[in-house]
Amino acid sequence: MIVPWQELDPETLNNLIEHFVLREGTDYGDRELSLAQKVAKVRQQLDNGEAVILFSELHETVDIKLRRSLRTE
């Protein structure tokens, strides 16, 4: 289920994004970015609809995915 990020408490949203970008294996290209830069990049992707927040009722987990990846799953 896609969770409307606009309905999340700002602090909760920020914590969710930070948790996502700090995960092992998250790649941002050739150069290393600061945590703030990574959070801003994900926030921008949510703002423009490129990324979505997904909640799995089955696994009771939350994740952030690129919208284009949902079409192939």
Side-chain angles (χ1 to χ4, degrees), residues 13-72:
L13 177 61
N14 192 66
N15 289 339
L16 176 65
I17 295 171
E18 283 185 6
H19 176 74
F20 173 75
V21 299
L22 290 172
R23 256 192 251 162
E24 191 75 32
T26 305
D27 184 17
Y28 290 88
D30 294 334
R31 65 184 180 103
E32 187 62 33
L33 301 175
S34 70
L35 176 61
Q37 289 171 314
K38 291 175 183 179
V39 168
K41 184 173 182 174
V42 172
R43 178 62 188 260
Q44 181 180 23
Q45 290 173 319
L46 289 168
D47 282 341
N48 67 26
E50 239 181 286
V52 294
I53 297 174
L54 295 175
F55 174 69
S56 169
E57 293 176 18
L58 177 64
H59 302 290
E60 296 183 355
T61 58
V62 177
D63 200 4
I64 299 174
K65 297 275 189 181
L66 290 175
R67 187 176 295 276
R68 69 175 178 254
S69 71
L70 301 179
R71 295 185 190 118
T72 60

